[in-house]
Coordinates of all heavy atoms in Angstrom, one line a residue:
Q1377 N 54.5 -118.2 -79.2 CA 55.1 -117.1 -78.5 C 56.4 -117.5 -77.7 O 57.1 -116.7 -77.3 CB 54.1 -116.4 -77.6 CG 53.0 -115.7 -78.4 CD 52.2 -114.9 -77.5 OE1 52.4 -114.8 -76.3 NE2 51.1 -114.3 -78.1
S1378 N 56.5 -118.8 -77.5 CA 57.6 -119.3 -76.8 C 58.8 -119.5 -77.7 O 59.9 -119.9 -77.3 CB 57.3 -120.6 -76.0 OG 56.9 -121.6 -77.0
S1379 N 58.7 -119.3 -79.0 CA 59.7 -119.5 -80.0 C 60.7 -118.4 -79.9 O 60.4 -117.2 -79.6 CB 59.2 -119.5 -81.4 OG 58.3 -120.6 -81.6
P1380 N 62.0 -118.7 -80.2 CA 63.0 -117.6 -80.2 C 62.7 -116.6 -81.3 O 62.0 -117.0 -82.3 CB 64.3 -118.3 -80.4 CG 64.0 -119.6 -81.0 CD 62.6 -120.0 -80.5
P1381 N 63.2 -115.4 -81.3 CA 63.0 -114.5 -82.4 C 63.6 -115.0 -83.7 O 64.6 -115.7 -83.6 CB 63.8 -113.2 -81.9 CG 64.1 -113.4 -80.5 CD 64.0 -114.8 -80.2
P1382 N 62.9 -114.8 -84.8 CA 63.4 -115.3 -86.0 C 64.7 -114.7 -86.4 O 64.9 -113.4 -86.2 CB 62.4 -115.0 -87.1 CG 61.5 -114.0 -86.4 CD 61.7 -114.1 -84.9
T1383 N 65.7 -115.5 -86.9 CA 67.0 -114.9 -87.4 C 67.3 -115.5 -88.7 O 66.8 -116.6 -89.1 CB 68.1 -115.2 -86.4 OG1 68.3 -116.6 -86.3 CG2 67.9 -114.6 -85.1
L1384 N 68.0 -114.8 -89.5 CA 68.6 -115.3 -90.8 C 70.1 -115.0 -90.8 O 70.5 -114.0 -90.4 CB 68.0 -114.5 -92.0 CG 66.6 -114.7 -92.4 CD1 66.2 -113.8 -93.5 CD2 66.3 -116.2 -92.8
A1385 N 70.8 -116.0 -91.3 CA 72.2 -115.9 -91.5 C 72.5 -116.0 -93.0 O 72.0 -117.0 -93.6 CB 73.0 -117.0 -90.7
I1386 N 73.2 -115.1 -93.6 CA 73.5 -115.1 -95.0 C 75.0 -115.2 -95.2 O 75.7 -114.4 -94.6 CB 72.9 -113.9 -95.7 CG1 71.4 -113.8 -95.4 CG2 73.2 -113.9 -97.2 CD1 70.7 -112.5 -95.8
A1387 N 75.5 -116.1 -96.0 CA 76.9 -116.2 -96.3 C 77.1 -116.5 -97.7 O 76.2 -117.1 -98.4 CB 77.5 -117.3 -95.4
S1388 N 78.2 -116.1 -98.3 CA 78.6 -116.5 -99.6 C 80.0 -116.9 -99.7 O 80.8 -116.6 -98.8 CB 78.4 -115.3 -100.6 OG 79.2 -114.2 -100.2
R1389 N 80.3 -117.7 -100.7 CA 81.7 -118.2 -100.9 C 81.9 -118.6 -102.3 O 80.9 -118.8 -103.1 CB 82.0 -119.4 -100.0 CG 81.2 -120.7 -100.4 CD 81.5 -121.9 -99.5 NE 80.9 -123.1 -100.0 CZ 81.6 -124.0 -100.8 NH1 82.8 -123.8 -101.1 NH2 80.9 -125.1 -101.2
L1390 N 83.2 -118.7 -102.7 CA 83.5 -119.2 -104.0 C 83.5 -120.7 -103.9 O 84.2 -121.3 -103.1 CB 84.9 -118.7 -104.5 CG 85.0 -117.3 -105.0 CD1 86.4 -116.9 -105.3 CD2 84.1 -117.1 -106.2
A1391 N 82.6 -121.4 -104.6 CA 82.5 -122.8 -104.6 C 83.6 -123.4 -105.4 O 84.1 -124.5 -105.1 CB 81.1 -123.3 -105.1
D1392 N 84.0 -122.7 -106.5 CA 85.1 -123.0 -107.3 C 85.5 -121.8 -108.1 O 84.9 -120.7 -107.8 CB 84.9 -124.3 -108.2 CG 83.7 -124.0 -109.2 OD1 83.6 -122.9 -109.8 OD2 82.9 -124.9 -109.3
Q1393 N 86.4 -121.9 -109.0 CA 86.9 -120.6 -109.7 C 85.8 -120.0 -110.5 O 85.9 -118.8 -110.8 CB 88.1 -121.0 -110.6 CG 89.2 -121.5 -109.8 CD 90.5 -120.7 -110.1 OE1 90.5 -119.9 -111.1 NE2 91.5 -120.9 -109.4
R1394 N 84.7 -120.7 -110.8 CA 83.7 -120.1 -111.7 C 82.3 -120.0 -111.1 O 81.4 -119.6 -111.8 CB 83.6 -121.0 -113.0 CG 85.0 -121.1 -113.7 CD 84.8 -121.8 -115.0 NE 84.1 -120.9 -115.9 CZ 84.7 -120.3 -117.0 NH1 85.9 -120.6 -117.3 NH2 84.0 -119.6 -117.8
T1395 N 82.2 -120.4 -109.8 CA 80.9 -120.4 -109.2 C 80.9 -119.8 -107.8 O 81.7 -120.1 -107.0 CB 80.4 -121.9 -109.1 OG1 80.6 -122.6 -110.3 CG2 79.0 -122.0 -108.6
V1396 N 79.9 -119.0 -107.6 CA 79.6 -118.4 -106.3 C 78.4 -119.2 -105.6 O 77.4 -119.4 -106.3 CB 79.3 -116.9 -106.4 CG1 78.8 -116.3 -105.0 CG2 80.4 -116.1 -106.9
E1397 N 78.5 -119.5 -104.4 CA 77.5 -120.2 -103.6 C 77.0 -119.2 -102.5 O 77.8 -118.7 -101.8 CB 78.0 -121.5 -103.0 CG 76.9 -122.2 -102.2 CD 77.5 -123.5 -101.6 OE1 77.5 -124.5 -102.2 OE2 77.8 -123.3 -100.4
V1398 N 75.7 -119.1 -102.4 CA 75.1 -118.3 -101.4 C 74.2 -119.2 -100.5 O 73.5 -120.0 -101.0 CB 74.2 -117.1 -102.0 CG1 73.5 -116.3 -100.9 CG2 75.0 -116.2 -102.9
R1399 N 74.3 -119.0 -99.2 CA 73.6 -119.8 -98.3 C 72.8 -118.8 -97.4 O 73.3 -117.8 -96.8 CB 74.5 -120.6 -97.4 CG 73.7 -121.4 -96.3 CD 74.6 -122.2 -95.4 NE 75.3 -121.2 -94.5 CZ 76.5 -121.3 -94.1 NH1 77.3 -122.3 -94.5 NH2 77.1 -120.4 -93.3
V1400 N 71.5 -119.1 -97.2 CA 70.6 -118.4 -96.3 C 70.0 -119.4 -95.3 O 69.4 -120.3 -95.7 CB 69.4 -117.7 -97.1 CG1 68.5 -116.9 -96.1 CG2 70.0 -116.7 -98.1
T1401 N 70.3 -119.2 -94.0 CA 69.8 -120.1 -93.0 C 68.9 -119.4 -92.0 O 69.2 -118.3 -91.6 CB 71.0 -120.7 -92.3 OG1 71.9 -121.4 -93.2 CG2 70.6 -121.7 -91.2
D1402 N 67.8 -120.1 -91.7 CA 66.9 -119.5 -90.7 C 66.9 -120.5 -89.5 O 67.5 -121.5 -89.5 CB 65.5 -119.4 -91.3 CG 64.8 -120.7 -91.6 OD1 65.1 -121.7 -91.0 OD2 63.9 -120.7 -92.5
N1403 N 66.3 -120.0 -88.4 CA 66.2 -120.8 -87.2 C 64.8 -121.2 -86.9 O 64.4 -121.5 -85.8 CB 66.7 -119.9 -86.0 CG 65.8 -118.8 -85.7 OD1 65.1 -118.3 -86.5 ND2 65.9 -118.3 -84.4
G1404 N 64.0 -121.4 -88.0 CA 62.6 -121.8 -87.8 C 62.5 -123.3 -87.5 O 63.5 -124.0 -87.2
P1405 N 61.3 -123.8 -87.5 CA 61.1 -125.2 -87.1 C 61.6 -126.3 -88.2 O 61.5 -127.5 -87.9 CB 59.5 -125.3 -87.0 CG 59.0 -124.3 -87.9 CD 60.1 -123.2 -87.9
G1406 N 62.0 -125.8 -89.3 CA 62.4 -126.8 -90.3 C 61.3 -127.1 -91.2 O 60.2 -126.5 -91.1
L1407 N 61.5 -128.0 -92.2 CA 60.4 -128.3 -93.1 C 60.0 -129.8 -93.0 O 60.9 -130.7 -92.9 CB 61.0 -128.1 -94.6 CG 61.3 -126.7 -95.0 CD1 62.0 -126.7 -96.3 CD2 60.1 -125.8 -95.0
P1408 N 58.7 -130.1 -93.0 CA 58.3 -131.5 -93.1 C 58.9 -132.1 -94.3 O 59.0 -131.5 -95.4 CB 56.8 -131.4 -93.1 CG 56.5 -130.0 -92.6 CD 57.6 -129.2 -93.0
D1409 N 59.2 -133.4 -94.3 CA 59.7 -134.1 -95.4 C 58.9 -134.0 -96.7 O 59.4 -133.9 -97.8 CB 60.0 -135.6 -95.1 CG 61.1 -135.8 -94.1 OD1 61.9 -134.9 -93.9 OD2 61.1 -136.9 -93.4
E1410 N 57.5 -134.1 -96.5 CA 56.7 -134.0 -97.7 C 56.7 -132.6 -98.3 O 56.5 -132.5 -99.5 CB 55.2 -134.4 -97.3 CG 54.5 -133.5 -96.3 CD 54.8 -133.9 -94.9 OE1 55.6 -134.8 -94.6 OE2 54.2 -133.2 -94.0
V1411 N 57.0 -131.6 -97.6 CA 57.1 -130.3 -98.2 C 58.5 -130.1 -98.8 O 58.6 -129.6 -99.9 CB 56.8 -129.2 -97.1 CG1 57.1 -127.8 -97.7 CG2 55.4 -129.2 -96.6
A1412 N 59.5 -130.6 -98.1 CA 60.9 -130.4 -98.6 C 61.1 -131.1 -99.9 O 61.8 -130.6 -100.8 CB 61.9 -131.0 -97.5
A1413 N 60.4 -132.2 -100.1 CA 60.5 -133.0 -101.3 C 60.1 -132.3 -102.6 O 60.6 -132.5 -103.7 CB 59.8 -134.3 -101.2
K1414 N 59.1 -131.4 -102.4 CA 58.6 -130.6 -103.6 C 58.6 -129.1 -103.4 O 57.8 -128.4 -104.0 CB 57.2 -131.1 -103.9 CG 56.2 -131.1 -102.8 CD 54.9 -131.6 -103.1 CE 53.9 -131.5 -101.9 NZ 52.6 -132.0 -102.2
L1415 N 59.5 -128.7 -102.5 CA 59.6 -127.3 -102.1 C 59.7 -126.3 -103.3 O 59.1 -125.2 -103.2 CB 60.7 -127.1 -101.2 CG 60.8 -125.7 -100.5 CD1 59.6 -125.5 -99.6 CD2 62.1 -125.7 -99.6
F1416 N 60.4 -126.6 -104.3 CA 60.6 -125.7 -105.4 C 59.6 -125.9 -106.6 O 59.7 -125.2 -107.6 CB 62.0 -125.8 -105.9 CG 63.0 -125.4 -104.9 CD1 63.7 -126.4 -104.1 CD2 63.3 -124.1 -104.6 CE1 64.6 -126.0 -103.1 CE2 64.2 -123.7 -103.6 CZ 64.8 -124.7 -102.9
S1417 N 58.6 -126.7 -106.3 CA 57.5 -126.9 -107.3 C 56.4 -125.8 -107.1 O 56.2 -125.4 -106.0 CB 56.9 -128.2 -107.1 OG 57.8 -129.2 -107.3
P1418 N 55.8 -125.3 -108.2 CA 54.7 -124.3 -108.0 C 53.6 -124.8 -107.1 O 53.3 -126.0 -107.1 CB 54.2 -124.1 -109.4 CG 55.3 -124.6 -110.3 CD 56.0 -125.7 -109.6
F1419 N 53.1 -123.9 -106.3 CA 52.0 -124.1 -105.4 C 52.3 -125.0 -104.2 O 51.4 -125.6 -103.7 CB 50.7 -124.5 -106.2 CG 50.5 -123.6 -107.4 CD1 50.6 -124.1 -108.6 CD2 50.1 -122.3 -107.2 CE1 50.4 -123.3 -109.8 CE2 49.9 -121.5 -108.3 CZ 50.0 -122.0 -109.6
T1420 N 53.5 -125.1 -103.9 CA 53.9 -125.8 -102.7 C 54.3 -124.8 -101.6 O 55.2 -123.9 -101.9 CB 55.1 -126.8 -102.9 OG1 54.7 -127.7 -103.9 CG2 55.6 -127.5 -101.7
S1421 N 53.7 -124.9 -100.4 CA 54.1 -123.9 -99.4 C 54.0 -124.6 -98.0 O 53.3 -125.5 -97.8 CB 53.0 -122.8 -99.4 OG 53.3 -121.9 -98.3
S1422 N 54.9 -124.1 -97.1 CA 54.9 -124.6 -95.8 C 54.1 -123.7 -94.9 O 53.9 -124.0 -93.7 CB 56.3 -124.7 -95.2 OG 56.9 -123.4 -95.2
K1423 N 53.5 -122.7 -95.4 CA 52.7 -121.7 -94.7 C 51.2 -121.9 -95.0 O 50.9 -122.1 -96.1 CB 53.1 -120.3 -95.1 CG 54.6 -120.0 -94.8 CD 55.0 -118.6 -95.3 CE 56.4 -118.4 -95.1 NZ 56.9 -117.1 -95.8
A1424 N 50.4 -121.7 -94.0 CA 49.0 -121.9 -94.1 C 48.4 -120.9 -95.1 O 47.5 -121.3 -95.9 CB 48.3 -121.8 -92.8
T1425 N 48.9 -119.7 -95.2 CA 48.4 -118.7 -96.1 C 49.3 -118.5 -97.3 O 49.1 -117.5 -98.0 CB 48.1 -117.4 -95.3 OG1 49.4 -116.9 -94.8 CG2 47.1 -117.6 -94.3
G1426 N 50.3 -119.3 -97.5 CA 51.3 -119.1 -98.6 C 50.7 -119.5 -99.9 O 49.8 -120.4 -100.0
M1427 N 51.1 -118.8 -100.9 CA 50.6 -119.2 -102.3 C 51.5 -120.2 -102.9 O 51.1 -120.9 -103.9 CB 50.6 -117.9 -103.2 CG 49.6 -116.9 -102.7 SD 49.6 -115.4 -103.7 CE 49.5 -116.0 -105.3
G1428 N 52.8 -120.4 -102.5 CA 53.6 -121.4 -103.0 C 54.2 -121.1 -104.4 O 54.5 -122.0 -105.1
V1429 N 54.5 -119.8 -104.7 CA 55.1 -119.5 -105.9 C 56.5 -118.9 -105.8 O 57.2 -118.9 -106.7 CB 54.1 -118.6 -106.8 CG1 52.9 -119.3 -107.2 CG2 53.8 -117.3 -106.1
G1430 N 56.8 -118.4 -104.6 CA 58.1 -117.7 -104.5 C 59.3 -118.5 -104.8 O 60.1 -118.1 -105.6
L1431 N 59.4 -119.7 -104.2 CA 60.6 -120.5 -104.4 C 60.6 -121.1 -105.8 O 61.7 -121.3 -106.4 CB 60.7 -121.6 -103.4 CG 61.1 -121.1 -102.0 CD1 61.1 -122.2 -101.0 CD2 62.5 -120.4 -102.0
S1432 N 59.5 -121.3 -106.5 CA 59.5 -121.8 -107.8 C 59.9 -120.7 -108.8 O 60.6 -121.0 -109.7 CB 58.1 -122.4 -108.2 OG 57.1 -121.4 -108.3
I1433 N 59.6 -119.5 -108.5 CA 60.1 -118.3 -109.3 C 61.6 -118.2 -109.1 O 62.3 -118.0 -110.0 CB 59.3 -117.0 -108.9 CG1 57.9 -117.1 -109.4 CG2 60.0 -115.8 -109.5 CD1 57.0 -116.0 -108.9
C1434 N 62.1 -118.3 -107.8 CA 63.5 -118.2 -107.5 C 64.2 -119.3 -108.3 O 65.3 -119.1 -108.9 CB 63.8 -118.4 -106.1 SG 63.2 -117.0 -105.0
K1435 N 63.7 -120.5 -108.4 CA 64.3 -121.6 -109.1 C 64.5 -121.3 -110.6 O 65.5 -121.5 -111.2 CB 63.5 -122.9 -108.9 CG 64.1 -124.1 -109.6 CD 63.3 -125.4 -109.4 CE 64.0 -126.5 -110.2 NZ 63.3 -127.7 -110.2
R1436 N 63.4 -120.8 -111.2 CA 63.5 -120.4 -112.6 C 64.5 -119.3 -112.9 O 65.2 -119.4 -113.9 CB 62.1 -119.9 -113.1 CG 61.1 -121.1 -113.2 CD 59.8 -120.6 -113.9 NE 59.2 -121.8 -114.5 CZ 59.2 -122.0 -115.8 NH1 59.7 -121.1 -116.6 NH2 58.6 -123.0 -116.3
I1437 N 64.6 -118.3 -112.0 CA 65.6 -117.3 -112.2 C 67.0 -117.8 -112.0 O 67.9 -117.5 -112.9 CB 65.3 -116.1 -111.2 CG1 64.0 -115.4 -111.5 CG2 66.5 -115.1 -111.2 CD1 63.5 -114.5 -110.4
V1438 N 67.2 -118.6 -111.0 CA 68.6 -119.1 -110.8 C 69.0 -120.0 -111.9 O 70.1 -119.9 -112.5 CB 68.6 -119.9 -109.4 CG1 69.9 -120.7 -109.3 CG2 68.6 -118.9 -108.3
E1439 N 68.1 -120.9 -112.3 CA 68.4 -121.8 -113.4 C 68.6 -121.1 -114.8 O 69.4 -121.5 -115.6 CB 67.4 -122.9 -113.5 CG 67.5 -123.9 -112.4 CD 66.4 -125.0 -112.4 OE1 65.4 -124.9 -113.2 OE2 66.5 -125.9 -111.6
A1440 N 67.9 -120.0 -115.0 CA 68.0 -119.2 -116.2 C 69.4 -118.6 -116.3 O 69.8 -118.2 -117.3 CB 66.9 -118.1 -116.3
H1441 N 70.1 -118.4 -115.1 CA 71.4 -117.9 -115.0 C 72.4 -118.9 -114.8 O 73.5 -118.7 -114.3 CB 71.5 -116.8 -114.0 CG 70.7 -115.6 -114.3 ND1 69.4 -115.4 -114.0 CD2 71.1 -114.4 -115.0 CE1 69.0 -114.2 -114.5 NE2 70.0 -113.6 -115.0
S1442 N 72.1 -120.2 -115.2 CA 73.0 -121.3 -115.1 C 73.4 -121.7 -113.7 O 74.5 -122.3 -113.5 CB 74.3 -121.1 -116.0 OG 74.0 -120.8 -117.3
G1443 N 72.5 -121.5 -112.8 CA 72.8 -121.9 -111.4 C 71.9 -123.0 -110.9 O 71.1 -123.5 -111.7
K1444 N 72.1 -123.3 -109.7 CA 71.3 -124.4 -109.0 C 70.7 -123.8 -107.7 O 71.4 -123.0 -107.1 CB 72.1 -125.6 -108.8 CG 72.6 -126.3 -110.0 CD 73.5 -127.5 -109.7 CE 74.0 -128.1 -111.0 NZ 74.8 -129.2 -110.8
I1445 N 69.7 -124.4 -107.2 CA 69.1 -124.0 -105.9 C 68.6 -125.3 -105.2 O 68.1 -126.2 -105.8 CB 67.9 -123.0 -106.1 CG1 67.5 -122.4 -104.8 CG2 66.8 -123.5 -106.9 CD1 66.6 -121.2 -104.9
W1446 N 68.8 -125.3 -103.9 CA 68.4 -126.4 -103.1 C 68.3 -126.0 -101.6 O 68.7 -124.9 -101.2 CB 69.3 -127.6 -103.3 CG 70.7 -127.4 -102.7 CD1 71.1 -127.9 -101.5 CD2 71.8 -126.8 -103.3 NE1 72.5 -127.5 -101.3 CE2 72.9 -126.9 -102.4 CE3 72.0 -126.1 -104.5 CZ2 74.1 -126.3 -102.7 CZ3 73.3 -125.6 -104.8 CH2 74.3 -125.7 -103.9
S1447 N 67.8 -126.9 -100.8 CA 67.7 -126.7 -99.4 C 68.1 -127.9 -98.6 O 68.0 -129.0 -99.1 CB 66.3 -126.3 -98.9 OG 65.3 -127.3 -99.1
T1448 N 68.5 -127.7 -97.4 CA 68.9 -128.8 -96.5 C 68.5 -128.4 -95.0 O 68.4 -127.2 -94.8 CB 70.4 -129.1 -96.5 OG1 71.1 -128.0 -96.0 CG2 70.9 -129.5 -97.9
P1449 N 68.2 -129.4 -94.2 CA 68.0 -129.0 -92.8 C 69.3 -128.3 -92.2 O 70.4 -128.7 -92.6 CB 67.8 -130.4 -92.1 CG 67.4 -131.3 -93.2 CD 68.1 -130.8 -94.4
A1450 N 69.1 -127.3 -91.5 CA 70.2 -126.6 -90.8 C 70.7 -127.4 -89.6 O 69.9 -128.2 -89.1 CB 69.8 -125.2 -90.4
E1451 N 71.9 -127.2 -89.3 CA 72.4 -127.8 -88.1 C 71.6 -127.3 -86.9 O 71.4 -126.1 -86.7 CB 73.9 -127.5 -87.8 CG 74.8 -128.3 -88.8 CD 76.3 -128.1 -88.4 OE1 76.6 -127.9 -87.2 OE2 77.1 -128.0 -89.3
G1452 N 71.2 -128.2 -86.0 CA 70.4 -127.8 -84.9 C 68.9 -127.6 -85.2 O 68.2 -128.6 -85.2
Q1453 N 68.5 -126.5 -85.7 CA 67.1 -126.2 -86.0 C 67.1 -125.2 -87.2 O 68.0 -124.4 -87.4 CB 66.4 -125.5 -84.8 CG 65.0 -125.2 -85.1 CD 64.3 -124.7 -83.8 OE1 64.8 -124.9 -82.7 NE2 63.2 -124.0 -84.0
G1454 N 66.1 -125.3 -88.0 CA 65.9 -124.4 -89.2 C 66.2 -125.1 -90.5 O 66.4 -126.3 -90.6
T1455 N 66.3 -124.3 -91.5 CA 66.6 -124.7 -92.9 C 67.6 -123.9 -93.5 O 67.6 -122.6 -93.3 CB 65.3 -124.7 -93.7 OG1 64.3 -125.4 -93.0 CG2 65.5 -125.2 -95.1
S1456 N 68.5 -124.5 -94.3 CA 69.5 -123.7 -95.1 C 69.1 -123.8 -96.6 O 68.8 -124.9 -97.1 CB 70.9 -124.3 -94.9 OG 71.4 -124.0 -93.6
F1457 N 69.0 -122.7 -97.2 CA 68.7 -122.6 -98.6 C 70.0 -122.2 -99.3 O 70.7 -121.3 -98.8 CB 67.6 -121.5 -98.9 CG 66.3 -122.0 -98.4 CD1 65.9 -121.7 -97.1 CD2 65.4 -122.6 -99.2 CE1 64.7 -122.1 -96.6 CE2 64.2 -123.0 -98.7 CZ 63.8 -122.7 -97.4
F1458 N 70.4 -122.8 -100.4 CA 71.6 -122.5 -101.1 C 71.2 -122.2 -102.6 O 70.3 -122.8 -103.1 CB 72.5 -123.8 -101.2 CG 72.9 -124.2 -99.8 CD1 72.2 -125.0 -99.1 CD2 74.2 -123.9 -99.4 CE1 72.6 -125.5 -97.8 CE2 74.7 -124.3 -98.2 CZ 73.9 -125.1 -97.4
F1459 N 72.0 -121.4 -103.2 CA 72.0 -121.3 -104.7 C 73.3 -120.9 -105.2 O 74.2 -120.4 -104.5 CB 70.9 -120.3 -105.1 CG 71.1 -118.8 -104.8 CD1 71.8 -118.0 -105.7 CD2 70.6 -118.3 -103.7 CE1 72.1 -116.7 -105.4 CE2 70.8 -116.9 -103.4 CZ 71.5 -116.1 -104.2
T1460 N 73.6 -121.3 -106.4 CA 74.9 -121.0 -107.1 C 74.6 -120.2 -108.3 O 73.5 -120.3 -108.9 CB 75.6 -122.3 -107.4 OG1 74.8 -123.1 -108.3 CG2 76.0 -123.1 -106.2
L1461 N 75.6 -119.4 -108.6 CA 75.6 -118.6 -109.9 C 77.0 -118.6 -110.4 O 77.9 -118.6 -109.6 CB 75.0 -117.2 -109.6 CG 73.5 -117.1 -109.3 CD1 73.2 -115.7 -108.9 CD2 72.7 -117.5 -110.4
P1462 N 77.1 -118.4 -111.7 CA 78.5 -118.3 -112.3 C 79.1 -117.0 -111.7 O 78.4 -116.0 -111.6 CB 78.2 -118.2 -113.8 CG 76.9 -118.7 -114.0 CD 76.1 -118.5 -112.8
S1463 N 80.4 -117.0 -111.4 CA 81.0 -115.8 -110.9 C 81.6 -115.0 -112.1 O 81.8 -115.5 -113.2 CB 82.2 -116.2 -110.0 OG 83.1 -116.9 -110.6
M1464 N 81.9 -113.7 -111.8 CA 82.5 -112.9 -112.8 C 83.9 -112.7 -112.5 O 84.3 -112.5 -111.3 CB 81.8 -111.5 -112.9 CG 80.4 -111.6 -113.4 SD 79.6 -109.9 -113.4 CE 80.6 -109.0 -114.4
R1465 N 84.8 -112.8 -113.4 CA 86.2 -112.5 -113.2 C 86.3 -111.0 -113.0 O 85.5 -110.2 -113.6 CB 87.1 -113.0 -114.3 CG 87.1 -114.5 -114.3 CD 88.0 -115.1 -115.4 NE 87.5 -114.8 -116.8 CZ 86.6 -115.6 -117.4 NH1 86.2 -116.7 -116.8 NH2 86.2 -115.3 -118.6
P1466 N 87.3 -110.5 -112.3 CA 87.5 -109.0 -112.1 C 87.4 -108.2 -113.4 O 86.9 -107.2 -113.5 CB 88.8 -108.9 -111.4 CG 89.0 -110.2 -110.6 CD 88.3 -111.2 -111.6
S1467 N 88.0 -108.8 -114.5 CA 88.1 -108.0 -115.7 C 86.7 -107.9 -116.4 O 86.4 -107.0 -117.2 CB 89.0 -108.7 -116.7 OG 88.6 -110.0 -117.0
E1468 N 85.7 -108.8 -116.0 CA 84.4 -108.7 -116.5 C 83.5 -107.7 -115.9 O 82.5 -107.3 -116.4 CB 83.7 -110.1 -116.4 CG 84.4 -111.2 -117.2 CD 83.8 -112.5 -116.9 OE1 83.4 -112.8 -115.8 OE2 83.7 -113.3 -117.8
H1469 N 83.9 -107.2 -114.7 CA 83.1 -106.2 -114.0 C 82.9 -104.9 -114.8 O 81.9 -104.3 -114.7 CB 83.7 -105.8 -112.6 CG 83.6 -107.0 -111.6 ND1 82.4 -107.1 -110.9 CD2 84.4 -108.0 -111.3 CE1 82.6 -108.2 -110.1 NE2 83.7 -108.7 -110.3
D1470 N 84.0 -104.5 -115.5 CA 83.9 -103.3 -116.3 C 82.9 -103.3 -117.4 O 82.4 -102.3 -117.9 CB 85.3 -102.9 -116.9 CG 86.3 -102.6 -115.8 OD1 85.8 -102.2 -114.7 OD2 87.5 -102.9 -116.0
H1471 N 82.5 -104.6 -117.9 CA 81.7 -104.8 -119.0 C 80.3 -105.2 -118.6 O 79.4 -105.5 -119.5 CB 82.3 -105.7 -120.0 CG 83.6 -105.4 -120.4 ND1 83.9 -104.2 -121.1 CD2 84.8 -106.0 -120.2 CE1 85.2 -104.1 -121.3 NE2 85.8 -105.2 -120.8
A1472 N 80.0 -105.3 -117.3 CA 78.7 -105.9 -116.9 C 77.7 -104.8 -116.8 O 77.9 -103.6 -116.8 CB 78.9 -106.5 -115.5

């Protein structure tokens, strides 16, 4: 109860001409090293009641679309999650 209210910061940027990078950062306690090392593996969870399938499903979806997903400790406190996906050129929007 002494913890600050949870917050999420979401940002996106062009990583290069063909790739969009999305970052989601929370202000939680961060991840223990043993969890962070296998975070995107099935049945790995940092929550006592977690099933540990959400991030492994996210990984499969992102990779199926030629992207990558990873996490790093956030500056100060929390965790940053990143994923990349191929970007669409403006002319491709009409055909999507």
Side-chain angles (χ1 to χ4, degrees):
Q1377 292 189 4
S1378 63
S1379 299
T1383 61
L1384 287 178
I1386 302 169
S1388 63
R1389 70 179 187 96
L1390 282 175
D1392 59 44
Q1393 296 232 351
R1394 302 186 74 110
T1395 308
V1396 174
E1397 180 184 276
V1398 177
R1399 180 184 69 218
V1400 179
T1401 303
D1402 67 28
N1403 67 334
L1407 297 171
D1409 290 341
E1410 63 273 5
V1411 173
K1414 55 184 181 175
L1415 188 60
F1416 297 97
S1417 299
F1419 310 113
T1420 299
S1421 179
S1422 63
K1423 300 174 185 172
T1425 59
M1427 293 177 53
V1429 294
L1431 288 174
S1432 65
I1433 291 170
C1434 291
K1435 181 180 179 186
R1436 287 187 155 252
I1437 292 169
V1438 167
E1439 289 177 349
H1441 289 88
S1442 302
K1444 296 179 182 178
I1445 189 168
W1446 69 96
S1447 68
T1448 63
E1451 285 188 34
Q1453 182 176 337
T1455 304
S1456 291
F1457 293 86
F1458 298 83
F1459 67 90
T1460 60
L1461 292 172
S1463 63
M1464 291 177 60
R1465 292 182 291 274
S1467 62
E1468 294 174 326
H1469 287 276
D1470 297 333
H1471 305 299

